[in-house]
Amino acid sequence: MADPPHFYKESQTLCLYHPKNYHWTKEKLIAKDIVPWTAAWIYFYEIWLQKGVWYGPEAELEENLLKAEIN
């Protein structure tokens, strides 16, 4: 499957959180937030490859953000 969900094609990065729900600062630890979210993304990606359904958590995205970043 060529187009994984929650993946930004243009920047080739994972979509781990919605910017309105989380704001990164230098005081936050990558190991506390980003690493576990990345591990969870990989877990749900593996299931998606097998079943074709994304079972991971999702934030409601604004339509324009979704079109601009994910597609």
Side-chain angles (χ1 to χ4, degrees), residues 42-67:
I42 293 168
Y43 171 79
F44 290 115
Y45 173 74
E46 293 290 330
I47 294 171
W48 174 78
L49 286 174
Q50 294 176 1
K51 308 262 184 188
V53 177
W54 184 263
Y55 290 104
E58 296 181 292
E60 289 190 33
L61 299 176
E62 295 174 14
E63 190 64 25
N64 293 336
L65 177 63
L66 181 63
K67 286 180 184 176

mmCIF file of all heavy atoms in Angstrom, residues 42-67:
data_model
loop_
_atom_site.group_PDB
_atom_site.id
_atom_site.type_symbol
_atom_site.label_atom_id
_atom_site.label_comp_id
_atom_site.label_asym_id
_atom_site.label_seq_id
_atom_site.Cartn_x
_atom_site.Cartn_y
_atom_site.Cartn_z
ATOM 1 N N ILE A 42 4.159 3.169 14.459
ATOM 2 C CA ILE A 42 4.690 1.978 13.779
ATOM 3 C C ILE A 42 3.803 0.768 14.050
ATOM 4 O O ILE A 42 3.504 -0.013 13.141
ATOM 5 C CB ILE A 42 6.149 1.712 14.209
ATOM 6 C CG1 ILE A 42 7.054 2.836 13.695
ATOM 7 C CG2 ILE A 42 6.625 0.350 13.723
ATOM 8 C CD1 ILE A 42 8.443 2.836 14.285
ATOM 9 N N TYR A 43 3.355 0.608 15.282
ATOM 10 C CA TYR A 43 2.461 -0.496 15.642
ATOM 11 C C TYR A 43 1.178 -0.448 14.805
ATOM 12 O O TYR A 43 0.787 -1.439 14.177
ATOM 13 C CB TYR A 43 2.140 -0.432 17.136
ATOM 14 C CG TYR A 43 1.062 -1.379 17.567
ATOM 15 C CD1 TYR A 43 1.343 -2.730 17.771
ATOM 16 C CD2 TYR A 43 -0.238 -0.933 17.767
ATOM 17 C CE1 TYR A 43 0.342 -3.609 18.156
ATOM 18 C CE2 TYR A 43 -1.235 -1.806 18.162
ATOM 19 C CZ TYR A 43 -0.945 -3.144 18.352
ATOM 20 O OH TYR A 43 -1.929 -4.009 18.720
ATOM 21 N N PHE A 44 0.521 0.716 14.781
ATOM 22 C CA PHE A 44 -0.723 0.843 14.028
ATOM 23 C C PHE A 44 -0.487 0.762 12.526
ATOM 24 O O PHE A 44 -1.355 0.275 11.780
ATOM 25 C CB PHE A 44 -1.455 2.131 14.406
ATOM 26 C CG PHE A 44 -2.010 2.095 15.795
ATOM 27 C CD1 PHE A 44 -1.538 2.951 16.771
ATOM 28 C CD2 PHE A 44 -3.002 1.182 16.144
ATOM 29 C CE1 PHE A 44 -2.048 2.915 18.059
ATOM 30 C CE2 PHE A 44 -3.519 1.133 17.429
ATOM 31 C CZ PHE A 44 -3.032 1.996 18.391
ATOM 32 N N TYR A 45 0.672 1.189 12.071
ATOM 33 C CA TYR A 45 1.022 1.059 10.652
ATOM 34 C C TYR A 45 1.117 -0.413 10.251
ATOM 35 O O TYR A 45 0.618 -0.806 9.193
ATOM 36 C CB TYR A 45 2.343 1.785 10.377
ATOM 37 C CG TYR A 45 2.879 1.568 8.994
ATOM 38 C CD1 TYR A 45 2.297 2.198 7.905
ATOM 39 C CD2 TYR A 45 3.969 0.736 8.779
ATOM 40 C CE1 TYR A 45 2.786 2.001 6.623
ATOM 41 C CE2 TYR A 45 4.470 0.536 7.502
ATOM 42 C CZ TYR A 45 3.878 1.170 6.431
ATOM 43 O OH TYR A 45 4.364 0.967 5.163
ATOM 44 N N GLU A 46 1.742 -1.208 11.089
ATOM 45 C CA GLU A 46 1.865 -2.643 10.802
ATOM 46 C C GLU A 46 0.484 -3.299 10.704
ATOM 47 O O GLU A 46 0.251 -4.141 9.838
ATOM 48 C CB GLU A 46 2.708 -3.335 11.868
ATOM 49 C CG GLU A 46 4.172 -2.924 11.870
ATOM 50 C CD GLU A 46 4.928 -3.441 10.660
ATOM 51 O OE1 GLU A 46 4.576 -4.511 10.138
ATOM 52 O OE2 GLU A 46 5.881 -2.754 10.243
ATOM 53 N N ILE A 47 -0.412 -2.914 11.586
ATOM 54 C CA ILE A 47 -1.779 -3.448 11.527
ATOM 55 C C ILE A 47 -2.468 -2.960 10.256
ATOM 56 O O ILE A 47 -3.156 -3.720 9.569
ATOM 57 C CB ILE A 47 -2.583 -3.048 12.783
ATOM 58 C CG1 ILE A 47 -1.978 -3.727 14.019
ATOM 59 C CG2 ILE A 47 -4.057 -3.407 12.629
ATOM 60 C CD1 ILE A 47 -2.542 -3.251 15.329
ATOM 61 N N TRP A 48 -2.275 -1.689 9.926
ATOM 62 C CA TRP A 48 -2.864 -1.127 8.714
ATOM 63 C C TRP A 48 -2.392 -1.885 7.470
ATOM 64 O O TRP A 48 -3.185 -2.141 6.563
ATOM 65 C CB TRP A 48 -2.516 0.361 8.615
ATOM 66 C CG TRP A 48 -2.958 0.998 7.340
ATOM 67 C CD1 TRP A 48 -4.217 1.410 7.009
ATOM 68 C CD2 TRP A 48 -2.130 1.286 6.209
ATOM 69 N NE1 TRP A 48 -4.225 1.937 5.750
ATOM 70 C CE2 TRP A 48 -2.950 1.873 5.230
ATOM 71 C CE3 TRP A 48 -0.772 1.102 5.933
ATOM 72 C CZ2 TRP A 48 -2.461 2.286 3.994
ATOM 73 C CZ3 TRP A 48 -0.279 1.521 4.710
ATOM 74 C CH2 TRP A 48 -1.125 2.100 3.759
ATOM 75 N N LEU A 49 -1.112 -2.253 7.437
ATOM 76 C CA LEU A 49 -0.598 -3.020 6.304
ATOM 77 C C LEU A 49 -1.321 -4.355 6.154
ATOM 78 O O LEU A 49 -1.581 -4.816 5.036
ATOM 79 C CB LEU A 49 0.906 -3.277 6.454
ATOM 80 C CG LEU A 49 1.825 -2.093 6.206
ATOM 81 C CD1 LEU A 49 3.263 -2.475 6.552
ATOM 82 C CD2 LEU A 49 1.724 -1.613 4.769
ATOM 83 N N GLN A 50 -1.649 -4.986 7.275
ATOM 84 C CA GLN A 50 -2.314 -6.288 7.244
ATOM 85 C C GLN A 50 -3.811 -6.191 6.984
ATOM 86 O O GLN A 50 -4.372 -6.983 6.239
ATOM 87 C CB GLN A 50 -2.084 -7.027 8.563
ATOM 88 C CG GLN A 50 -0.651 -7.416 8.801
ATOM 89 C CD GLN A 50 -0.460 -8.055 10.166
ATOM 90 O OE1 GLN A 50 -1.397 -8.218 10.936
ATOM 91 N NE2 GLN A 50 0.773 -8.419 10.465
ATOM 92 N N LYS A 51 -4.469 -5.235 7.630
ATOM 93 C CA LYS A 51 -5.937 -5.169 7.605
ATOM 94 C C LYS A 51 -6.489 -4.093 6.660
ATOM 95 O O LYS A 51 -7.661 -4.147 6.301
ATOM 96 C CB LYS A 51 -6.476 -4.881 9.010
ATOM 97 C CG LYS A 51 -5.968 -5.810 10.079
ATOM 98 C CD LYS A 51 -6.957 -6.882 10.337
ATOM 99 C CE LYS A 51 -6.439 -7.733 11.498
ATOM 100 N NZ LYS A 51 -7.237 -8.890 11.694
ATOM 101 N N GLY A 52 -5.668 -3.078 6.352
ATOM 102 C CA GLY A 52 -6.146 -1.993 5.505
ATOM 103 C C GLY A 52 -6.995 -0.969 6.244
ATOM 104 O O GLY A 52 -7.642 -0.127 5.625
ATOM 105 N N VAL A 53 -6.997 -1.028 7.578
ATOM 106 C CA VAL A 53 -7.771 -0.101 8.406
ATOM 107 C C VAL A 53 -6.835 0.500 9.451
ATOM 108 O O VAL A 53 -6.052 -0.219 10.066
ATOM 109 C CB VAL A 53 -8.932 -0.841 9.122
ATOM 110 C CG1 VAL A 53 -9.689 0.102 10.038
ATOM 111 C CG2 VAL A 53 -9.857 -1.488 8.118
ATOM 112 N N TRP A 54 -6.935 1.826 9.653
ATOM 113 C CA TRP A 54 -6.123 2.496 10.673
ATOM 114 C C TRP A 54 -6.886 2.458 11.993
ATOM 115 O O TRP A 54 -7.937 3.058 12.139
ATOM 116 C CB TRP A 54 -5.844 3.937 10.273
ATOM 117 C CG TRP A 54 -4.936 4.623 11.242
ATOM 118 C CD1 TRP A 54 -5.293 5.427 12.279
ATOM 119 C CD2 TRP A 54 -3.514 4.532 11.281
ATOM 120 N NE1 TRP A 54 -4.184 5.851 12.965
ATOM 121 C CE2 TRP A 54 -3.070 5.317 12.365
ATOM 122 C CE3 TRP A 54 -2.563 3.873 10.502
ATOM 123 C CZ2 TRP A 54 -1.723 5.453 12.686
ATOM 124 C CZ3 TRP A 54 -1.230 4.018 10.815
ATOM 125 C CH2 TRP A 54 -0.817 4.788 11.901
ATOM 126 N N TYR A 55 -6.341 1.727 12.969
ATOM 127 C CA TYR A 55 -6.974 1.590 14.278
ATOM 128 C C TYR A 55 -6.409 2.559 15.320
ATOM 129 O O TYR A 55 -6.875 2.589 16.450
ATOM 130 C CB TYR A 55 -6.835 0.152 14.799
ATOM 131 C CG TYR A 55 -7.675 -0.832 14.029
ATOM 132 C CD1 TYR A 55 -7.096 -1.693 13.105
ATOM 133 C CD2 TYR A 55 -9.044 -0.900 14.217
ATOM 134 C CE1 TYR A 55 -7.861 -2.600 12.393
ATOM 135 C CE2 TYR A 55 -9.823 -1.795 13.513
ATOM 136 C CZ TYR A 55 -9.222 -2.650 12.602
ATOM 137 O OH TYR A 55 -9.994 -3.538 11.898
ATOM 138 N N GLY A 56 -5.414 3.321 14.949
ATOM 139 C CA GLY A 56 -4.785 4.250 15.883
ATOM 140 C C GLY A 56 -5.650 5.466 16.156
ATOM 141 O O GLY A 56 -6.632 5.718 15.457
ATOM 142 N N PRO A 57 -5.283 6.234 17.172
ATOM 143 C CA PRO A 57 -6.045 7.445 17.494
ATOM 144 C C PRO A 57 -5.938 8.467 16.377
ATOM 145 O O PRO A 57 -4.949 8.513 15.647
ATOM 146 C CB PRO A 57 -5.391 7.946 18.782
ATOM 147 C CG PRO A 57 -4.041 7.331 18.798
ATOM 148 C CD PRO A 57 -4.142 6.043 18.035
ATOM 149 N N GLU A 58 -6.981 9.258 16.251
ATOM 150 C CA GLU A 58 -7.006 10.296 15.227
ATOM 151 C C GLU A 58 -7.620 11.568 15.805
ATOM 152 O O GLU A 58 -8.582 11.501 16.554
ATOM 153 C CB GLU A 58 -7.839 9.859 14.022
ATOM 154 C CG GLU A 58 -7.264 8.657 13.309
ATOM 155 C CD GLU A 58 -8.082 8.256 12.110
ATOM 156 O OE1 GLU A 58 -9.207 7.789 12.301
ATOM 157 O OE2 GLU A 58 -7.572 8.426 10.987
ATOM 158 N N ALA A 59 -7.048 12.685 15.421
ATOM 159 C CA ALA A 59 -7.628 13.982 15.769
ATOM 160 C C ALA A 59 -8.416 14.463 14.564
ATOM 161 O O ALA A 59 -8.028 14.210 13.421
ATOM 162 C CB ALA A 59 -6.529 14.986 16.108
ATOM 163 N N GLU A 60 -9.509 15.134 14.813
ATOM 164 C CA GLU A 60 -10.245 15.711 13.699
ATOM 165 C C GLU A 60 -9.414 16.846 13.118
ATOM 166 O O GLU A 60 -8.978 17.735 13.832
ATOM 167 C CB GLU A 60 -11.597 16.225 14.173
ATOM 168 C CG GLU A 60 -12.559 15.110 14.521
ATOM 169 C CD GLU A 60 -13.956 15.637 14.762
ATOM 170 O OE1 GLU A 60 -14.360 16.632 14.120
ATOM 171 O OE2 GLU A 60 -14.632 15.036 15.601
ATOM 172 N N LEU A 61 -9.208 16.789 11.819
ATOM 173 C CA LEU A 61 -8.400 17.799 11.151
ATOM 174 C C LEU A 61 -9.283 18.747 10.367
ATOM 175 O O LEU A 61 -10.328 18.349 9.853
ATOM 176 C CB LEU A 61 -7.408 17.141 10.181
ATOM 177 C CG LEU A 61 -6.388 16.189 10.778
ATOM 178 C CD1 LEU A 61 -5.567 15.554 9.670
ATOM 179 C CD2 LEU A 61 -5.478 16.924 11.732
ATOM 180 N N GLU A 62 -8.838 19.983 10.260
ATOM 181 C CA GLU A 62 -9.520 20.925 9.392
ATOM 182 C C GLU A 62 -9.348 20.439 7.961
ATOM 183 O O GLU A 62 -8.286 19.963 7.570
ATOM 184 C CB GLU A 62 -8.922 22.316 9.552
ATOM 185 C CG GLU A 62 -9.135 22.902 10.924
ATOM 186 C CD GLU A 62 -8.407 24.215 11.096
ATOM 187 O OE1 GLU A 62 -7.965 24.794 10.084
ATOM 188 O OE2 GLU A 62 -8.263 24.646 12.240
ATOM 189 N N GLU A 63 -10.366 20.560 7.155
ATOM 190 C CA GLU A 63 -10.349 20.038 5.789
ATOM 191 C C GLU A 63 -9.164 20.574 4.980
ATOM 192 O O GLU A 63 -8.497 19.837 4.281
ATOM 193 C CB GLU A 63 -11.666 20.368 5.089
ATOM 194 C CG GLU A 63 -11.834 19.674 3.763
ATOM 195 C CD GLU A 63 -11.916 18.155 3.867
ATOM 196 O OE1 GLU A 63 -12.313 17.642 4.915
ATOM 197 O OE2 GLU A 63 -11.550 17.495 2.902
ATOM 198 N N ASN A 64 -8.863 21.862 5.071
ATOM 199 C CA ASN A 64 -7.770 22.431 4.307
ATOM 200 C C ASN A 64 -6.410 21.892 4.733
ATOM 201 O O ASN A 64 -5.547 21.641 3.913
ATOM 202 C CB ASN A 64 -7.781 23.957 4.390
ATOM 203 C CG ASN A 64 -8.977 24.556 3.706
ATOM 204 O OD1 ASN A 64 -9.566 23.948 2.811
ATOM 205 N ND2 ASN A 64 -9.343 25.752 4.093
ATOM 206 N N LEU A 65 -6.201 21.709 6.039
ATOM 207 C CA LEU A 65 -4.945 21.163 6.537
ATOM 208 C C LEU A 65 -4.779 19.733 6.043
ATOM 209 O O LEU A 65 -3.713 19.348 5.595
ATOM 210 C CB LEU A 65 -4.909 21.210 8.070
ATOM 211 C CG LEU A 65 -3.683 20.619 8.727
ATOM 212 C CD1 LEU A 65 -2.432 21.392 8.324
ATOM 213 C CD2 LEU A 65 -3.842 20.622 10.237
ATOM 214 N N LEU A 66 -5.825 18.967 6.081
ATOM 215 C CA LEU A 66 -5.777 17.585 5.638
ATOM 216 C C LEU A 66 -5.397 17.516 4.168
ATOM 217 O O LEU A 66 -4.510 16.764 3.781
ATOM 218 C CB LEU A 66 -7.126 16.911 5.875
ATOM 219 C CG LEU A 66 -7.254 15.450 5.496
ATOM 220 C CD1 LEU A 66 -6.313 14.608 6.336
ATOM 221 C CD2 LEU A 66 -8.674 14.974 5.667
ATOM 222 N N LYS A 67 -6.030 18.311 3.335
ATOM 223 C CA LYS A 67 -5.739 18.286 1.896
ATOM 224 C C LYS A 67 -4.317 18.755 1.606
ATOM 225 O O LYS A 67 -3.628 18.185 0.778
ATOM 226 C CB LYS A 67 -6.738 19.154 1.151
ATOM 227 C CG LYS A 67 -8.109 18.544 1.035
ATOM 228 C CD LYS A 67 -9.041 19.456 0.276
ATOM 229 C CE LYS A 67 -10.444 18.871 0.239
ATOM 230 N NZ LYS A 67 -11.377 19.793 -0.422
#
